[in-house]
Each structure stands twice: as structure tokens, then as C-alpha cells.
Amino acid sequence: MNVKITEDFWKNYRNLVRKEMIPYQWNVLNDIGGINIERERADDTIPNEKSHAIENFKIAAGRTKGEFYGYVFQDSDVYKWLEAAAYVLREDDDEDLRKKADDIVDLIAEAQQPDGYLDTYFIIKEPERKFMTLRESHELYCAGHFFEAACAYYAVTGNKKVLDTAIRLADCIDRHFGAEEGKLHGSDGHPEVEIGLMKLYAVTGEKRYLRLCEYFIGVRGECHKFFAEQDEAEKGMTPIFEGMRHADDTYFQIQEAPVKQSTAEGHAVRQIYLCTAMADLAREDGDEELAEACRRIWRNIVDRRMYITGGIGSTVNGEAFTLDYDLPNDTMYCETCASVGLIFFAKNMLKLEAKGEYADVMERALYNTVLAGMALDGRHFFYVNPLEVDPEQSRKNPTKSHVKAVRPEWLACACCPPNLARMLASVDDYIYMEKDGEIFVNLYIASEAEFSINGEKIKIKLETDYPKSGSVKLKVEKNGYKVVNLALRVPGWADNVYGQIDGAEEKVAQEDGYWHVYAEDKQTEISLNMPMYVERNYADTRVSADVGKVCISRGPLVYCAESVDNGEALQNIELLENAVFKENFEPELLNGVISVRTEGKRIVERGNGQLYTHKKMYDIEGQSIKLIPYYAWGNRGENEMRVWLREH
Ligand code: FUB
Ligand code: ZN
């Protein structure tokens, strides 16, 4: 499958990745330029002077002398950058970028130890503790990110060195971990290596990597004992990651065997990365029990623990899921990486079974939390994506110090920015899916794609200005005589959908969220019209944070109010139950958005200064309200913002 994006909305993002994110992140990782690195929350122990990520590799390779600096998983920032660079090069070659990426591959290979071991923290700082502190060490987490980068870079450039380095590392891990006697019987406190191993298996066909992935997933239920033994052996030594040792079992995803799990627990990124690998493995192995576990966790997330923006993780404590319907809007976590991970999980669920609802969630997370994770300039990033923010409270209330109102230039814990880069650079991989001889269209992103199915070459031209409108035209072209089966997703948000095939009206019959059609002739034109209206959304009343509130959306985009448009104290503005909404495309606003306006109300304080009184001390006045897409918030300076508004 070969896909080229042609639509402005996404082309802009892709250009941003190529022209801004990749060079900018390169500078950060190389400590070039005076970039201000913010701590992700108020905690003086967080290392925020510099990235040092590439310098760590240079020291490990013996090219320079110095100390390791940064988080123990700093290597993964470089790997994610390399993976993003691979996707950028896939779209269009760029000599300078390829040279930089090749040089990074050389450096990584040089840092690798003769036995295949690779992790700069342990090579530089504590070689005697290699594989001794898996609860905290992130050694396999970093390896997983390297495997992902290596597979992507090898596929695009044919660079054999990167693949060989990855294979040597995988073999080293395989020699050390497994059920056999003499090996380590446990896994990493942060799932990720499993995703990387599945990719390495796909590229190399080496079954040991598949089985190692299976081992790492299966052993989690027994990791408690493994970690306890490692803790015991380490007694008296300085923890690798201060504070992490005492996190509970759900944080490390070791509370039970994943195959038995029913709810999404603990650290959201860890949980979602684990699920991503579980779904991939379940499909590859035809393991129905594991697939069932994936379905249960999926249901729990989507029906009870996910924000309307596709954010996950309700608390900063352990960056974690909490309990059903606990979805506070102002103290939540909603880490950018967690929504990127949710997209990975959704994609693997789709590969397991083609159900439109997986793509619905993919779209929700992508167009809302993931895009909001980055400023429109491609150089500022959120780690945490609130649905409600008051900058003054974030500054002064310690329980909200993680909730930032303006995206920092970089973060000490920099997992999110390069994760965003690799996600946006590879969005073309999420548009279509081939499954059992059928072409599924999951995301409506204008593009040209070529497929080869059962020996037949098929070209698809997808024309649309989505998400501005929901009109989609698919031009299917083929040379042979075989019928092409297509499935167009009918998004969960869409009503009154209608379709046409070669100009003739067709009923859009839906099965599992798809409209299945086929193209017989050499050229077939299929249209799908999904009228986009301004819609109100209400939460289940068990979500106490949203009771009495309404959220506005239009197509896949969730909307929000900012005080720059609506005045301060957004808690006091109210949308009317029978409001009439006006949509207005504003080309100059936030790179061109459709804003939504309506006449609403505002509570106006008329108190006498007393905090509490026996009678209402406010008036209600009319107020014009303006809403913008959530993904674009926080691009006009420090500002209050709310997704859920009171309803009058
Ligand atoms: O532990 C590595 C990364 O740092 C996690 O994935 C993020 O949530 C952040 O904690
Ligand atoms: Zn992150």
C-alpha cells in the first residue's frame, strides 16, 4: 500500500513535521539553541537543564567524555525522532535529513556493546546494574522504541546497519529473558518492548521475537515476585528512579495476567502500550482468549474511562486511570502519549476485527487530544491535555501544577513531542486498511493510494475537505476484471448519511460501522455524504464533573470556549438548551477554523463581598459565545479554556 496525502489540513501538519518539528527536535536533542525546558510539574528533582539525549549516545560510544544526563529513558527520545524522520523520508527524500539520520544510526551502533546490549544510562553510569532493576530501568522500553525506529528506518531507506543493530539487541534480550532456567523471569515495568518485537518479527520473520513478545506479555502476572526479588538484591542501593519503586502494581501493569484483565488500570501509557501489543499478538496467534481480554479492556476504556476528547488517564498520581466515570476536567492527565497509544491500540483492534467503532475512537483521539498536544507552530507541546484550565489555579494550586495553560518549548520528560512527531508523520498509515481482500477506509484524509490485491493493481483517489465538511468522494481505478470490495466507515457521529455510486443514489447500509460497496468497472466513483452539524453532547450522569453541562462538537471535532473570545470566568457562561448555532469559516483564525457562535447567558456576580449568603447574589445576562475547535486552543497566549459548559 502506497499512500500520498493531498488535503490541505493534513498537508499543513505534514509540512510542519518536516520543516519545523524534525529540525527543531533535532536541535533540542543535540542541545543546540536556547530552548527553555520546563518541568512537567512542580518538582525540583526533575532534570530540566538540557536534553543531552544525543550526547549520552556520544559518551556511551566513547566519542566524548562526560556523565549521563536526563531521565533513565532519555534514549527513547532519539529513537522516536529517528522513527519520525523515517516517515518524513518515506513521503519525500531529503538528503540532509537522511544524512543526519544515517549518522544517528552510526552513533547508536557505535554505542552498542559487543554482546548487543544497548542503553546509554547503564553503559555510562551503572554497568553493573544492567537488567537488575527492571521495575524502574526502562531498558526494554527503550529497546522497544529502538526496534520500532529501526524497522521504520530500514523499510524506508534499506539501511541494514539499523536493522542489524536492532537484531543484535533483540538477541541479547532473548538470551537474558525467558521461561528457561538461568534466564530472567520477568519483564520491564513499562510495556513497549512487546510492540517493538512484533514489528521486528514482521520485518525479519524471526519467530523468536514473536515468542519473546508472548513471553513478556504472559509473564506480567508473575512480575510481582520478579520485581520483589530484584528489589531485595538491590537493597541499600540508590534507586535508579527515585520514588518509582513504591508505585503500586497497576502502575507497572503487573497486578494480574493481562489475559485475565477486564478493566484499564494504572499508568495510562503503560496500559495502552500493553494493549497495543496484546491485540497484535492475539491477531498473529489467533489467540481468542487474548483477543477477548483486549475487547474487555477496550470496552471499559471507551464506555467508562475516556474523555470526549479521546484523552485517557484521570489523575496525575501515577499518570493513571482511576475508576469508572471518574473523569475530572481540570485535574485529569490525558497525556499526549496516552492518546497516541490509544490510536495504536485502535489500529491493532481494527486489524483484529474490522469494526468502525475502533476507527471512531482513533479519529476522536487524533483530531482532538493528539492535535492539541502541539501548538500550531510545531514548536511547543503539551504533555497533559486538560478539558478545563484556569491559568491562575495552575500556578497557585499544587494539585494543578501539571495542568499548563500554554504549551512549553520542551519538557524535561520529553516522551510526548517526538511521539507526536512519529504519529503525525505516519498518519497516512491510518487512512486505509487491507483486510481479507477488502479495502477499508478508516479516516477521511484526502489522498491518493495504490494497492495490490490478489495480483490486481488498484488506485484510489480520495477527495474531501474533511474535517471542514463530511463530503467524501472515492475514485476507484483498476485495470483487471476482478471486483474490488471496499468498506467506507460511517462515523458514529454521522446522521442522515447518504451515498452515490457512479451518480446513482445508494442506500448506505451499515454493518459494524462500515458501508460495504464494490467496484466492478475500470473506474467507479463512490460518494459518501455525512452532513456535519453543530451537535450537543451530554455525558452519562455518573460523570459528576459533567452533570448539567454540555459539550459542542462538529463532525469529529470537539469544541471549546476560551476566555480570549468570551471574557474571563468561563464557569459563568451558559449555553441555551434551544440555542441556535452559527458556523463561520474564519481563514485568518488559528490557521483557518470553523468557529461556532451562539447567543447564551452569563452569570454576573452581584454579591456584597460575602463568600456565602442565604440568597442568590447574581444576575443572569445575555452573552454572545464563541467556540473554537479544541485542537487549536492555547495558541493565543495564556487563557482560560473549557470544553464542558453549563447549560441554561
Ligand atoms: O516512563 C516513560 C514515559 O514517561 C511514560 O510513557 C510517560 O507517561 C512518562 O511518564
Ligand atoms: Zn508522553
Side-chain angles (χ1 to χ4, degrees), residues 73 138 141 190 267 269-270 319 335 383 413 415:
F73 49 84
H138 287 72
Y141 166 86
H190 196 315
H267 187 274
V269 179
R270 291 167 196 239
E319 308 176 314
E335 182 178 339
Y383 185 136
C413 174
C415 50

Side-chain angles (χ1 to χ4, degrees), residues 362-381:
M362 184 191 269
E363 179 177 81
R364 184 183 289 285
L366 179 64
Y367 280 91
N368 298 291
T369 298
V370 169
L371 289 185
M374 184 174 74
L376 297 174
D377 66 2
R379 290 163 169 255
H380 296 80
F381 308 93

